Amino acid sequence: MNNETPGIGGLTDTFVGSLSGSAVLAGVLLLLILAWLAYRRFGGRVDPAPLAAALMRSSSDGALIVDRRGTVRRANPVATRLLQLPAAQLEGVTVAELLGHRFRRDALQQWATTDASGAPRSLRILYPLPPPGGERRLQVTWYALHRRKRLVGHLCLLRDARAASGNGKRDAGDTTLDILTGLPGRGRFLQRLERAVVRMYETSGRFDCSLILLNLDRFKQVNDHLGPALADQVLITIAERLAESASGEYLARLEGDQFGILVEKRGRPRDPLELVNAIKAAVERPISVHANELRLTVSMGVVINATDYRYAADLLRDARIALAQAKRRGLGQHQVFTRQMRAYALKHARIEADLRTALENRELRAVYQPIVDVQAKRVVGFETLIRWRHPEHGEISPGEFIDIAEDSERIVPIGRHIRAVSCERLADWQRSAGDPQLYLSFNLTDHEIRRAELVTELGEYLGHHKLLPESVRIELVERMLLQADSRRALERLVSLGLPLYIDDFGTGYSSFSRLYDTPVHTIKIDRSFVQQMTRSEQAMKVVGAIAGLGHSLGVNMIAEGVEELGELRKMESLGCTQIQGYLFAAPVEAEMVPVLLRDQSWIEKRLRRAERVS
């Protein structure tokens, strides 16, 4: 037997040349099997050149011949089409430079220069296309090429992963690794979860597992602010931290910034809540992005001891319910699932569905609560509030639907409608009362204030109805002062001349430095403090401190939720003379506003009545 095998080249040429269409892939696989068999039969004394040449001519995949230094030596026409580069620009470039994308570069270089195993390696990458730009998902498969038992290079096969799936998107049942993070994808995770549930059923609970679903809080804003490329780097960093924290557990990236962790109890089981705390600590560590520190929080839904489940879909559903509940509690929270949450989730889903048609069916309306200056004994403005009269369930409390409207982003068209209608009414009320200083205040949510169109929209209302800028006032919560994207929006609102209110002051979190460098017009002291003043010396001290801060900043103050004369008198003693609360009036329908403005002697009457009762 000769040291070389000259017949192998002719065999592969003849065989591959006889294939066409869908048979090419099968032919390529068979050629590789033949090459492997030849390698085993002749102890590695197979010349790879004829085989590679046949593949280069006949493969329906892109094919690159890569030498031991990782440099591309040859590229077939399919590869030039996939990579959108001529062969002359491909040859002589290292494969890591060509295909390396973000954090995959090191792995590609290592495979191309050191991997001499007979087993193929495969991964998916996002290949950045040449100008005009874009990205293409590629499936990259590596085969070692040997001569006399020595590695001489690699055959690199490229395939358009989107074309292979038929729709350009990752299929819901895809079981491959996640392209970006290298973690198992959604399909593979669901398969593992299904096997765990079956095992729990078959062992009658002797095997147990828990499930953790987690989302990064406000990651959409991170993506919008940093851009997709840097946001991807953040996701990779988070994935690495999760893998370290959840070592030994089954971790997967399900979609976007959502991850799943399956905690299977075997040997010495791990407490899922200990893992939750470890994940929080890992995610909340600062991340360096372009010399800046990014701090994230994470929300988690947890199902513990899932022995009662028969279907993976039910287990996943309940983890999602718990995750949604955690998000409603605020940032950086976790929630363990309880069965009572299912009823709440059903109600939540019904409200969300009904909200989609509530605006079109004119079920939503604005009501207005007066703000009274007790020294002048007149109404200076109204806070605009939303009410929902459901055709079947009657009046639905704002506490039941506002958060749902914000989560589903239905708050955007709802808020736009309320502001448009109310500004038109305000112009009429100002003319009929002869008071151009009368104002309305509007509460804005995170979703609304970040809309670039908001300033244009409000400017149009002012111009169309000939309203002074100070007659439309914006109420915010404290945390918005700390959010960079919200602060940019606030600057645009201030440039329009709209006064800013801090609503429910003292109940959230803020920075005093932000209060000093933000042009806040008014602080609204929260009702929870106001209503405790007459019963708690500590509450009185807190309100006194807030009032002192307001005076030092030179801002106005409004006391919310004033219901008793004693509360009013204490607020007056602190220099706060603008009052909002049931002591004077509950929120009223639009038709009642002109009545309240026409004859304001009702304010004095309410005060005298309160004095008689007290």
Side-chain angles (χ1 to χ4, degrees), residues 20-230:
S20 62
S22 61
V24 172
L25 177 59
V28 170
L29 294 175
L30 184 55
L31 282 170
L32 294 169
I33 293 171
L34 290 173
W36 173 248
L37 292 174
Y39 171 77
R40 296 295 301 273
R41 170 66 180 83
F42 299 112
R45 298 185 301 274
V46 178
D47 186 352
L51 173 61
L55 290 173
M56 298 288 283
R57 287 196 303 271
S58 305
S59 175
S60 61
D61 293 332
L64 304 174
I65 297 296
V66 181
D67 66 19
R68 289 194 60 182
R69 292 182 296 277
T71 302
V72 177
R73 292 305 177 192
R74 292 187 61 188
N76 73 348
V78 179
T80 63
R81 288 197 298 272
L82 284 175
L83 303 177
Q84 294 189 8
L85 290 172
Q89 291 188 28
L90 295 175
E91 294 167 5
V93 177
T94 68
V95 74
E97 293 172 338
L98 179 64
L99 299 178
H101 183 63
R102 301 187 182 110
F103 290 84
R104 297 291 184 158
R105 186 181 300 271
D106 293 341
L108 287 166
Q109 182 65 20
Q110 182 181 0
W111 291 6
T113 57
T114 63
D115 184 16
S117 66
R121 294 285 195 97
S122 183
L123 84 165
R124 288 189 177 189
I125 66 169
L126 284 172
Y127 168 69
L129 295 169
E135 292 179 320
R136 172 169 287 163
R137 292 184 180 185
L138 294 178
Q139 180 81 28
V140 183
T141 307
W142 295 84
Y143 298 90
L145 299 176
H146 299 83
R147 178 180 292 168
R148 298 190 183 97
K149 296 186 178 181
R150 295 181 60 188
L151 177 71
V152 295
H154 284 81
L155 172 67
C156 174
L157 295 183
L158 310 174
R159 176 176 297 180
D160 189 330
R162 295 181 301 177
S165 69
N167 59 7
K169 297 181 179 179
R170 182 184 290 264
D171 184 72
D174 186 7
T175 60
T176 60
L177 297 180
D178 175 63
I179 296 172
L180 182 66
T181 63
L183 296 173
R186 182 175 182 273
R188 186 176 289 186
F189 184 77
L190 292 178
Q191 288 182 356
R192 180 70 171 256
L193 190 62
E194 190 69 54
R195 289 198 299 269
V197 170
V198 170
R199 186 178 176 191
M200 284 190 293
Y201 179 75
E202 291 176 345
T203 60
S204 301
R206 291 191 301 276
F207 170 80
D208 191 9
C209 72
S210 298
L211 176 61
I212 301 173
L213 282 189
L214 62 95
N215 267 130
L216 300 178
D217 295 324
R218 304 184 185 280
F219 194 74
K220 183 179 184 300
Q221 288 90 289
V222 174
N223 191 78
D224 293 342
H225 180 63
L226 297 180
L230 288 178

Side-chain angles (χ1 to χ4, degrees), residues 459-502:
E460 289 176 352
Y461 298 154
L462 294 177
H464 182 71
H465 299 296
K466 297 180 173 56
L467 296 170
L468 296 173
E470 56 266 27
S471 62
V472 174
R473 307 188 177 191
I474 303 301
E475 297 198 18
L476 316 164
V477 293
E478 292 177 71
R479 69 170 183 272
M480 292 182 182
L481 298 180
L482 297 177
Q483 297 165 3
D485 48 357
S486 294
R487 284 183 58 78
R488 287 190 292 272
L490 296 184
E491 291 169 0
R492 293 194 294 269
L493 292 173
V494 170
S495 69
L496 198 60
L498 306 182
L500 301 182
Y501 284 23
I502 303 300

Side-chain angles (χ1 to χ4, degrees), residues 416-462:
R416 184 169 55 237
H417 169 74
I418 293 295
R419 289 188 293 273
V421 169
S422 297
C423 285
E424 182 179 2
R425 290 171 176 169
L426 176 60
D428 291 338
W429 296 335
Q430 288 181 346
R431 284 192 294 270
S432 62
D435 184 3
Q437 301 299 321
L438 184 72
Y439 68 83
L440 290 181
S441 65
F442 297 96
N443 295 278
L444 291 184
T445 65
D446 290 336
H447 283 300
E448 293 175 288
I449 201 167
R450 285 193 295 269
R451 286 177 55 240
E453 303 87 356
L454 177 65
V455 174
T456 302
E457 167 199 310
L458 291 171
E460 289 176 352
Y461 298 154
L462 294 177

Side-chain angles (χ1 to χ4, degrees), residues 366-372 379-387 429 438-441 475 524 527 558-563 579-590 593 596 602:
V367 295
Y368 307 91
Q369 186 169 27
I371 299 168
V372 175
V379 175
V380 292
F382 294 85
E383 180 179 359
T384 309
L385 303 165
I386 303 175
R387 293 293 183 265
W429 296 335
L438 184 72
Y439 68 83
L440 290 181
S441 65
E475 297 198 18
K524 298 189 76 173
R527 70 182 62 243
I558 296 175
E560 294 185 289
V562 175
E563 297 182 0
I579 304 298
Q580 178 181 350
Y582 280 42
L583 176 65
F584 290 110
V588 298
E589 301 292 338
V593 171
L596 295 179
W602 61 271

